[in-house]
Amino acid sequence: MGQRLGALDLLGINNTQIESARVLTTKMHSFVHLDGVEAEPASPCSDDGSNNDEGVRWQLTPHELLSAPEWRNFGKLTDIEAQEAENLPPESFKVAVSDAEVSDYKRRLRQARLPPALSEEANMTYGYPSAGLSQLRDQMLKFNLTNWAKLMNSYDHYKLTLYGLKIHYIKVSGKPDLQRVPLLLIHGWPGSFYEFYKAIPLLQQKAELHEFSYDLIIPSLPGYGFSEAAYRTGLNPEYAAAIFNKLMNKLGYDKYIPQGGDWGALVTEYIVTFYPERVIGFHTNIFNLPAFDEDLRTLPYTLAATIAPRQLMQGSELALFEAKGLFSGYTSLFKEGGYCHLQATKPDTVGTALTDSPLGLAVYILEKFYTCTDSSNVDKPLQEATESLPFSIDEALNNVLVYWHSNSIQSSVRFYKEALSMFERRPFPRTDVAGALLMTKHEVSFCPRFIAELRIRNLVQYTVLMKGGHFAAFEIPEEFSSDVVRFTHALLN
């Protein structure tokens, strides 16, 4: 904070101006919530008084903002076959690894051609260090795929055909003698359903202390893991939300709690947007900051937070803000987001390379685990960064093997391409659905509570943890589970 205040002094910003920012924030809060009635922003107009293109975006009608996407067939079935398949019961399956697959996996690793390494001490500045590839390959060769399959089968796997695709999910039923609460856990990239394995027993144990139990539904996003990949273009997070809502409907849940991080948080927000009547409450461990071009009313709040954070925040929220700043997400995207641009523009190019090499796939995903659990790992020697990980390399490889075994890396990165076209046309509305937001120390972005409340008007719970990163359920399952259970308990009471 000392450096930040020093910069303000150099800019000539004094206490009077800071107080003015606080007053401005208060006034803007009143503007947004005029006696409970949401005020609409003035429409930007050109000199001749007509609405310009951006004005059209800001004036999207409630129907355009809130309508769920219409049913589409994304699979290889005919439309009639796809609709009939939705009436079929769930099919259970087991994860199995053949001897031929084990042999192919090891052959590709042994024959992998390693690039020359830099002479300097290896860290993540240039990506996963080439000097560490030989050791990683040896570890992957020792990896037992049969035991991996047994671990995956620790919970029951099912598939249902929805929107023409076979959608995979895990179901863990709660205790029949307790109140059952449906909880939909949604992963992102490069995660998978496996992210939640350590949290599953903790969620159930902690819930039972409050005399309720979860029915846990943990799906794979379409094109991820054991969910079938789309055969046609256009399957974006909006459609993922529609598919998962239909999944919950097919499983007999009229109301449920969606929870997600990364893409899972975005899908959760769309579920809340499209189907608010189905949502008991929602929980995310990342929050998408309102963009200035979507809602001009966020701009004064953002400026006020930057100029006068101590007037608006306190405790761990203030500490995290001072450590990261409001724009950390944008800075991180610029420094570490090259993969995002590549996957959002030419996903099949990188997908082809990753599909052919288990070692290449591993380093591509592992590097994201290093940098997204703690951005300072970029500058650490590989061994030191590995020791600081909140999970073992073998646990990370369990997740990598989900992508390798299912041959889903290319279809998973296509999700970025589909999402990019969606972002160009649809901002989020505000919601009155009860929400909870968990902010971790090393998450790529930070959102203060008073800005989150611009969109989540009924923010029941806001938690800041000075630990953890992007993969909260995987990194800090104890704290993640406690936060979800605390929110659920508040909703039930």
Side-chain angles (χ1 to χ4, degrees), residues 173-437:
S173 298
K175 287 191 173 181
D177 57 335
L178 294 175
Q179 182 179 5
R180 305 265 283 275
V181 180
L183 178 61
L184 176 67
L185 298 172
I186 312 173
H187 68 87
W189 188 93
S192 68
F193 62 87
Y194 173 69
E195 279 183 64
F196 299 103
Y197 266 39
K198 290 186 287 187
I200 289 173
L202 294 171
L203 284 165
Q204 297 292 38
Q205 293 164 14
K206 294 175 185 293
E208 289 168 14
L209 296 176
H210 297 283
E211 300 183 344
F212 69 89
S213 189
Y214 287 116
D215 277 357
L216 298 174
I217 308 299
I218 310 173
S220 294
L221 286 166
Y224 285 67
F226 303 116
S227 282
E228 188 178 359
Y231 185 65
R232 299 174 173 88
T233 61
L235 204 166
N236 57 33
E238 292 179 6
Y239 274 103
I243 288 171
F244 287 167
N245 180 69
K246 196 162 194 175
L247 170 65
M248 297 302 282
N249 182 57
K250 290 289 185 182
L251 295 179
Y253 301 116
D254 294 328
K255 286 181 172 289
Y256 58 93
I257 299 173
Q259 194 289 327
D262 195 81
W263 284 128
L266 192 61
V267 173
T268 292
E269 290 175 14
Y270 273 120
I271 289 174
V272 173
T273 299
F274 298 147
Y275 315 103
E277 74 285 352
R278 301 287 309 280
V279 179
I280 302 170
F282 68 100
H283 184 288
T284 66
N285 48 278
I286 190 172
F287 186 73
N288 297 287
L289 282 173
F292 301 150
D293 65 337
E294 291 176 1
D295 189 343
L296 285 180
R297 286 169 295 184
T298 63
L299 183 56
Y301 286 85
T302 304
L303 294 175
T306 304
I307 295 172
R310 291 182 178 274
Q311 300 291 332
L312 301 164
M313 292 170 276
Q314 58 184 349
S316 56
E317 182 184 5
L318 176 62
L320 191 55
F321 178 86
E322 291 178 343
K324 297 175 73 70
L326 190 61
F327 301 103
S328 59
Y330 302 106
T331 304
S332 175
L333 185 64
F334 179 77
K335 293 175 62 178
E336 298 293 334
Y339 78 96
C340 187
H341 182 73
L342 181 60
Q343 292 172 192
T345 53
K346 297 295 186 287
D348 283 14
T349 302
V350 64
T352 299
L354 298 175
T355 296
D356 196 53
S357 170
L359 183 60
L361 176 64
V363 298
Y364 194 73
I365 291 178
L366 286 177
E367 187 235 307
K368 297 296 170 287
F369 278 145
Y370 277 105
T371 57
C372 291
T373 52
D374 184 349
S375 60
S376 68
N377 283 334
V378 172
D379 300 314
K380 295 176 183 176
L382 179 59
Q383 184 60 37
E384 182 182 343
T386 300
E387 292 171 356
S388 72
L389 285 174
F391 41 75
S392 69
I393 294 298
D394 275 354
E395 286 178 315
L397 289 175
N398 286 331
N399 180 78
V400 171
L401 262 293
V402 171
Y403 285 89
W404 179 257
H405 173 71
S406 61
N407 191 20
S408 63
I409 187 61
Q410 186 178 73
S411 54
S412 74
V413 298
R414 283 183 190 148
F415 206 61
Y416 284 75
K417 176 74 171 178
E418 304 294 1
L420 183 66
S421 61
M422 176 197 72
F423 289 151
E424 294 175 352
R425 72 174 186 271
R426 188 186 293 258
F428 282 114
R430 292 169 177 78
T431 181
D432 291 314
V433 177
L437 180 57

Side-chain angles (χ1 to χ4, degrees), residues 13-298:
I13 297 175
N14 55 38
N15 290 334
T16 302
Q17 289 167 311
I18 292 175
E19 177 63 16
S20 297
R22 185 190 66 79
V23 173
L24 173 63
T25 302
T26 303
K27 288 182 178 179
M28 290 305 297
H29 194 277
S30 299
F31 172 70
V32 176
H33 300 286
L34 290 172
D35 295 325
V37 179
E38 183 174 320
E40 293 300 323
S43 302
C45 297
S46 59
D47 292 338
D48 62 2
S50 61
N51 288 331
N52 59 28
D53 289 340
E54 286 300 301
V56 173
R57 281 192 73 191
W58 294 331
Q59 293 186 83
L60 289 173
T61 66
H63 174 76
E64 289 174 309
L65 283 169
L66 299 174
S67 295
E70 296 182 358
W71 186 89
R72 279 184 61 187
N73 175 18
F74 287 101
K76 296 182 179 181
L77 302 173
T78 67
D79 287 357
I80 293 177
E81 290 172 337
Q83 290 171 344
E84 289 177 346
E86 292 195 358
N87 296 320
L88 298 175
E91 57 180 83
S92 62
F93 79 100
K94 295 283 187 181
V95 179
V97 180
S98 67
D99 291 341
E101 182 179 352
V102 173
S103 177
D104 177 70
Y105 167 80
K106 291 188 174 182
R107 176 187 62 80
R108 290 173 185 267
L109 285 170
R110 291 192 184 101
Q111 294 180 355
R113 187 169 63 170
L114 305 185
L118 292 169
S119 59
E120 287 84 357
E121 188 173 32
N123 60 28
M124 300 283 173
T125 305
Y126 287 79
Y128 194 95
S130 300
L133 292 179
S134 180
Q135 181 180 350
L136 177 61
R137 179 173 61 177
D138 290 344
Q139 186 168 353
M140 294 178 70
L141 281 167
K142 295 175 183 177
F143 203 84
N144 189 312
L145 270 68
T146 302
N147 289 342
W148 171 81
K150 290 179 181 178
L151 174 64
M152 295 300 106
N153 291 322
S154 300
Y155 301 104
D156 295 330
H157 295 256
Y158 302 90
K159 290 184 180 180
L160 264 176
T161 300
L162 302 168
Y163 286 64
L165 302 174
K166 287 192 174 184
I167 300 300
H168 160 257
Y169 64 96
I170 287 172
K171 182 177 181 181
V172 181
S173 298
K175 287 191 173 181
D177 57 335
L178 294 175
Q179 182 179 5
R180 305 265 283 275
V181 180
L183 178 61
L184 176 67
L185 298 172
I186 312 173
H187 68 87
W189 188 93
S192 68
F193 62 87
Y194 173 69
E195 279 183 64
F196 299 103
Y197 266 39
K198 290 186 287 187
I200 289 173
L202 294 171
L203 284 165
Q204 297 292 38
Q205 293 164 14
K206 294 175 185 293
E208 289 168 14
L209 296 176
H210 297 283
E211 300 183 344
F212 69 89
S213 189
Y214 287 116
D215 277 357
L216 298 174
I217 308 299
I218 310 173
S220 294
L221 286 166
Y224 285 67
F226 303 116
S227 282
E228 188 178 359
Y231 185 65
R232 299 174 173 88
T233 61
L235 204 166
N236 57 33
E238 292 179 6
Y239 274 103
I243 288 171
F244 287 167
N245 180 69
K246 196 162 194 175
L247 170 65
M248 297 302 282
N249 182 57
K250 290 289 185 182
L251 295 179
Y253 301 116
D254 294 328
K255 286 181 172 289
Y256 58 93
I257 299 173
Q259 194 289 327
D262 195 81
W263 284 128
L266 192 61
V267 173
T268 292
E269 290 175 14
Y270 273 120
I271 289 174
V272 173
T273 299
F274 298 147
Y275 315 103
E277 74 285 352
R278 301 287 309 280
V279 179
I280 302 170
F282 68 100
H283 184 288
T284 66
N285 48 278
I286 190 172
F287 186 73
N288 297 287
L289 282 173
F292 301 150
D293 65 337
E294 291 176 1
D295 189 343
L296 285 180
R297 286 169 295 184
T298 63

